Each structure stands twice: as C-alpha cells, then as structure tokens.
Amino acid sequence: MKSKSWKILVVDDEEDLSWSISNSLRRCNNELEVQCAQDGNQAFEMLRQHSYDLVISDYRMPGKDGLELLKQIRRRYSKTKVIIMTAYGSTEVQSIVEKCKDTYYLEKPFDILDLKKMICQINGNKDFLFKNALN
C-alpha cells in the first residue's frame, strides 16, 4: 500500500520533547510533514488553518489541556486521529481516551520506536515509518 503524504501536529509544552519527536519522525519518511505547537490553544489555531491526519498531544498542559483539545478535535475534525500522551497515567484517563473514536493512549516515558509503531498502525501501513535506515 503506497502511503500518501501525512501531516502530523505534535503538541507539548515541553519544547525539547516535541522537537525530539518531530525530528525523529521527519527522518523516517520524507513524505511526512510534522509541525509543533506549545499548548492546546496554539494547536487549535493551527487546526483551524491546516488539515492534519494525526495530532500527538500531551495530556497536561497550561491553558487548554490535551483532553479539551481532544474534545474539540472530535467535534470539529472527526477524521483526525489523536494520540494522547501523558506522564500522569491513570486508568481513568486511559478509559476516557480509549472510548473516543480514532484516539490512542501512550504513557511517558515511552520509547520512540513504540510511538512509531503506533503511528504505523494508525496509518494502516506497517512500513510507513521504517523506509529509512536512520529510524
């Protein structure tokens, strides 16, 4: 299955983490467009201006948190897939996330390889992020 160009938005108030995730993903597939936002408010503005296939968002952020961003994405951009990542995992948060259509849960700290495998599963192409030897 040939993959189309995919747009991903990484949302996290920890700039080092969002930068690290975006750079790692960009190196894997040159058809991937990855952008970053520092909080839920900035992410929602970016969503209003651009279409994204996937949003990878932290759960706890100042201002609009990941759960509020998720609710807005589900209301307005139903085709956008979402990964909620959190360092403050709980069965309650996991249950809320997993009840939402096309939404996935990932606890920090995580191995970048696990995130890549999750993205490949979401994309429906197991080789989507493994074309390049620099994974």
Short mmCIF file of all heavy atoms in Angstrom, two decimals, residues 91-117:
data_model
loop_
_atom_site.label_atom_id
_atom_site.label_comp_id
_atom_site.label_asym_id
_atom_site.label_seq_id
_atom_site.Cartn_x
_atom_site.Cartn_y
_atom_site.Cartn_z
N THR A 91 -5.95 4.91 35.05
CA THR A 91 -6.94 4.13 34.33
C THR A 91 -8.11 5.01 33.91
O THR A 91 -8.72 4.77 32.87
CB THR A 91 -7.44 2.95 35.19
OG1 THR A 91 -7.90 3.45 36.44
CG2 THR A 91 -6.34 1.93 35.41
N GLU A 92 -8.40 6.06 34.69
CA GLU A 92 -9.50 6.97 34.33
C GLU A 92 -9.20 7.71 33.03
O GLU A 92 -10.02 7.75 32.12
CB GLU A 92 -9.75 7.97 35.46
CG GLU A 92 -10.85 8.95 35.16
CD GLU A 92 -11.03 10.00 36.25
OE1 GLU A 92 -10.36 9.92 37.29
OE2 GLU A 92 -11.83 10.91 36.03
N VAL A 93 -8.00 8.28 32.93
CA VAL A 93 -7.61 9.00 31.72
C VAL A 93 -7.55 8.04 30.54
O VAL A 93 -8.06 8.33 29.46
CB VAL A 93 -6.24 9.70 31.91
CG1 VAL A 93 -5.74 10.29 30.60
CG2 VAL A 93 -6.33 10.78 32.97
N GLN A 94 -6.97 6.87 30.74
CA GLN A 94 -6.87 5.90 29.68
C GLN A 94 -8.25 5.49 29.18
O GLN A 94 -8.49 5.39 27.99
CB GLN A 94 -6.09 4.67 30.15
CG GLN A 94 -5.85 3.66 29.04
CD GLN A 94 -4.94 2.53 29.49
OE1 GLN A 94 -4.55 2.43 30.65
NE2 GLN A 94 -4.59 1.67 28.57
N SER A 95 -9.17 5.29 30.10
CA SER A 95 -10.54 4.90 29.73
C SER A 95 -11.23 5.99 28.92
O SER A 95 -11.89 5.71 27.91
CB SER A 95 -11.34 4.60 31.00
OG SER A 95 -12.66 4.30 30.67
N ILE A 96 -11.08 7.25 29.33
CA ILE A 96 -11.68 8.37 28.60
C ILE A 96 -11.13 8.42 27.18
O ILE A 96 -11.88 8.55 26.21
CB ILE A 96 -11.41 9.71 29.33
CG1 ILE A 96 -12.20 9.76 30.63
CG2 ILE A 96 -11.77 10.90 28.44
CD1 ILE A 96 -11.78 10.91 31.55
N VAL A 97 -9.82 8.31 27.06
CA VAL A 97 -9.17 8.40 25.75
C VAL A 97 -9.60 7.24 24.85
O VAL A 97 -9.95 7.44 23.69
CB VAL A 97 -7.64 8.44 25.92
CG1 VAL A 97 -6.92 8.24 24.59
CG2 VAL A 97 -7.21 9.75 26.57
N GLU A 98 -9.58 6.04 25.38
CA GLU A 98 -9.86 4.87 24.56
C GLU A 98 -11.33 4.76 24.15
O GLU A 98 -11.66 4.04 23.22
CB GLU A 98 -9.38 3.61 25.26
CG GLU A 98 -7.85 3.56 25.28
CD GLU A 98 -7.28 2.35 26.02
OE1 GLU A 98 -8.04 1.65 26.73
OE2 GLU A 98 -6.08 2.12 25.87
N LYS A 99 -12.21 5.48 24.82
CA LYS A 99 -13.63 5.49 24.43
C LYS A 99 -13.88 6.37 23.21
O LYS A 99 -14.91 6.26 22.56
CB LYS A 99 -14.51 5.96 25.59
CG LYS A 99 -14.68 4.92 26.67
CD LYS A 99 -15.54 5.43 27.79
CE LYS A 99 -15.62 4.40 28.91
NZ LYS A 99 -16.35 4.91 30.07
N CYS A 100 -12.95 7.25 22.92
CA CYS A 100 -13.09 8.15 21.77
C CYS A 100 -12.63 7.44 20.50
O CYS A 100 -11.59 6.78 20.48
CB CYS A 100 -12.26 9.41 21.97
SG CYS A 100 -12.82 10.44 23.32
N LYS A 101 -13.39 7.63 19.45
CA LYS A 101 -13.06 7.04 18.15
C LYS A 101 -11.72 7.59 17.63
O LYS A 101 -11.44 8.78 17.77
CB LYS A 101 -14.18 7.37 17.16
CG LYS A 101 -13.96 6.78 15.79
CD LYS A 101 -15.09 7.17 14.87
CE LYS A 101 -14.85 6.54 13.53
NZ LYS A 101 -15.04 7.41 12.43
N ASP A 102 -10.93 6.72 17.05
CA ASP A 102 -9.65 7.10 16.43
C ASP A 102 -8.73 7.85 17.39
O ASP A 102 -8.03 8.79 17.00
CB ASP A 102 -9.88 7.93 15.16
CG ASP A 102 -10.53 7.13 14.06
OD1 ASP A 102 -10.26 5.92 13.96
OD2 ASP A 102 -11.31 7.71 13.29
N THR A 103 -8.74 7.43 18.66
CA THR A 103 -7.91 8.08 19.68
C THR A 103 -7.13 7.01 20.42
O THR A 103 -7.67 5.96 20.76
CB THR A 103 -8.79 8.89 20.65
OG1 THR A 103 -9.59 9.80 19.89
CG2 THR A 103 -7.95 9.69 21.62
N TYR A 104 -5.87 7.29 20.69
CA TYR A 104 -4.96 6.31 21.27
C TYR A 104 -4.26 6.92 22.48
O TYR A 104 -4.14 8.13 22.60
CB TYR A 104 -3.94 5.85 20.21
CG TYR A 104 -4.62 5.37 18.96
CD1 TYR A 104 -5.03 6.27 17.97
CD2 TYR A 104 -4.92 4.03 18.78
CE1 TYR A 104 -5.70 5.84 16.84
CE2 TYR A 104 -5.59 3.59 17.65
CZ TYR A 104 -5.97 4.50 16.69
OH TYR A 104 -6.64 4.07 15.57
N TYR A 105 -3.76 6.05 23.34
CA TYR A 105 -3.19 6.45 24.63
C TYR A 105 -1.76 5.95 24.72
O TYR A 105 -1.47 4.79 24.39
CB TYR A 105 -4.06 5.83 25.73
CG TYR A 105 -3.59 6.05 27.14
CD1 TYR A 105 -3.91 7.23 27.81
CD2 TYR A 105 -2.87 5.09 27.82
CE1 TYR A 105 -3.52 7.43 29.12
CE2 TYR A 105 -2.47 5.28 29.13
CZ TYR A 105 -2.80 6.45 29.77
OH TYR A 105 -2.40 6.66 31.07
N LEU A 106 -0.85 6.82 25.19
CA LEU A 106 0.56 6.46 25.32
C LEU A 106 1.12 7.11 26.59
O LEU A 106 0.99 8.33 26.77
CB LEU A 106 1.33 6.94 24.09
CG LEU A 106 2.79 6.55 23.96
CD1 LEU A 106 2.95 5.04 23.85
CD2 LEU A 106 3.41 7.23 22.74
N GLU A 107 1.72 6.29 27.47
CA GLU A 107 2.28 6.83 28.70
C GLU A 107 3.74 7.19 28.51
O GLU A 107 4.50 6.47 27.89
CB GLU A 107 2.13 5.81 29.84
CG GLU A 107 0.73 5.74 30.37
CD GLU A 107 0.62 4.99 31.69
OE1 GLU A 107 1.63 4.82 32.40
OE2 GLU A 107 -0.51 4.59 32.01
N LYS A 108 4.11 8.35 29.08
CA LYS A 108 5.51 8.79 29.13
C LYS A 108 6.15 8.17 30.37
O LYS A 108 5.46 8.01 31.37
CB LYS A 108 5.58 10.31 29.26
CG LYS A 108 5.06 11.10 28.11
CD LYS A 108 5.15 12.58 28.48
CE LYS A 108 4.59 13.50 27.46
NZ LYS A 108 4.67 14.91 27.87
N PRO A 109 7.40 7.90 30.36
CA PRO A 109 8.28 7.97 29.19
C PRO A 109 8.01 6.77 28.29
O PRO A 109 7.62 5.71 28.74
CB PRO A 109 9.67 7.89 29.80
CG PRO A 109 9.50 7.13 31.07
CD PRO A 109 8.12 7.46 31.56
N PHE A 110 8.20 6.98 27.01
CA PHE A 110 7.99 5.90 26.04
C PHE A 110 9.19 5.85 25.12
O PHE A 110 9.93 6.82 24.97
CB PHE A 110 6.71 6.10 25.24
CG PHE A 110 6.61 7.43 24.55
CD1 PHE A 110 7.22 7.65 23.33
CD2 PHE A 110 5.91 8.47 25.14
CE1 PHE A 110 7.13 8.89 22.70
CE2 PHE A 110 5.82 9.71 24.53
CZ PHE A 110 6.43 9.92 23.30
N ASP A 111 9.38 4.71 24.52
CA ASP A 111 10.42 4.52 23.52
C ASP A 111 9.89 5.08 22.21
O ASP A 111 8.75 4.78 21.84
CB ASP A 111 10.74 3.03 23.41
CG ASP A 111 11.94 2.75 22.53
OD1 ASP A 111 11.98 3.28 21.38
OD2 ASP A 111 12.83 2.02 22.97
N ILE A 112 10.67 5.86 21.50
CA ILE A 112 10.22 6.46 20.24
C ILE A 112 9.80 5.38 19.24
O ILE A 112 8.90 5.59 18.44
CB ILE A 112 11.30 7.40 19.65
CG1 ILE A 112 10.71 8.27 18.51
CG2 ILE A 112 12.51 6.63 19.18
CD1 ILE A 112 9.75 9.30 18.96
N LEU A 113 10.41 4.20 19.35
CA LEU A 113 10.03 3.09 18.47
C LEU A 113 8.58 2.68 18.72
O LEU A 113 7.85 2.37 17.77
CB LEU A 113 10.97 1.90 18.69
CG LEU A 113 10.74 0.69 17.80
CD1 LEU A 113 10.88 1.04 16.32
CD2 LEU A 113 11.73 -0.41 18.17
N ASP A 114 8.13 2.71 19.98
CA ASP A 114 6.73 2.37 20.27
C ASP A 114 5.78 3.40 19.66
O ASP A 114 4.73 3.04 19.14
CB ASP A 114 6.50 2.29 21.79
CG ASP A 114 7.21 1.10 22.41
OD1 ASP A 114 7.44 0.10 21.71
OD2 ASP A 114 7.55 1.18 23.61
N LEU A 115 6.16 4.68 19.71
CA LEU A 115 5.34 5.72 19.08
C LEU A 115 5.29 5.50 17.57
O LEU A 115 4.22 5.59 16.96
CB LEU A 115 5.89 7.11 19.40
CG LEU A 115 5.18 8.27 18.70
CD1 LEU A 115 3.71 8.35 19.12
CD2 LEU A 115 5.90 9.58 19.00
N LYS A 116 6.41 5.19 16.97
CA LYS A 116 6.46 4.96 15.52
C LYS A 116 5.58 3.77 15.12
O LYS A 116 4.87 3.82 14.13
CB LYS A 116 7.89 4.73 15.06
CG LYS A 116 8.74 5.98 15.13
CD LYS A 116 10.18 5.67 14.76
CE LYS A 116 11.06 6.87 14.90
NZ LYS A 116 12.47 6.56 14.59
N LYS A 117 5.64 2.70 15.91
CA LYS A 117 4.81 1.52 15.62
C LYS A 117 3.32 1.88 15.73
O LYS A 117 2.51 1.44 14.92
CB LYS A 117 5.15 0.38 16.57
CG LYS A 117 6.47 -0.28 16.27
CD LYS A 117 6.78 -1.37 17.28
CE LYS A 117 8.11 -2.01 17.04
NZ LYS A 117 8.42 -3.04 18.07
#
